[in-house]
Amino acid sequence: HLKSPNHLKIDVDGIDDKVLFGSAQILGGVKTVCCEMHFSEERVTKVIDFMAGHGLILTHRTRRNAFFERIA
């Protein structure tokens, strides 16, 4: 059994949200996440809500990337 990583970076050309949704098991131990998010605002909102549900808040967003950190 592998330990959850501290940091997660996802860049999979358009399906980053699906990869994040599939990573729910490991998100509990992750401190930070960086992922590409250049898709519709509806999908972005779903990712932000999903991450918040796992204790990770959006701390910074560029045109193409989002950065999440674990809340204390």
Side-chain angles (χ1 to χ4, degrees):
H1 183 315
L2 295 175
K3 254 178 62 172
S4 289
N6 288 323
H7 311 285
L8 186 62
K9 180 180 187 306
I10 299 172
D11 179 359
V12 289
D13 298 327
I15 60 166
D16 304 80
D17 56 338
K18 291 175 177 55
V19 172
L20 278 172
F21 297 151
S23 68
Q25 280 186 313
I26 66 164
L27 287 178
V30 173
K31 294 178 183 175
T32 62
V33 176
C34 172
C35 69
E36 255 194 304
M37 288 205 322
H38 53 95
F39 33 77
S40 73
E41 284 303 311
E42 180 182 341
R43 284 172 69 187
V44 169
T45 299
K46 286 181 182 178
V47 169
I48 292 169
D49 291 346
F50 173 80
M51 297 297 275
H54 289 279
L56 294 153
I57 59 164
L58 180 69
T59 57
H60 182 72
R61 183 171 170 209
T62 66
R63 191 171 61 89
R64 298 183 66 99
N65 294 299
F67 302 88
F68 297 88
E69 288 185 29
R70 175 140 324 271
I71 51 178

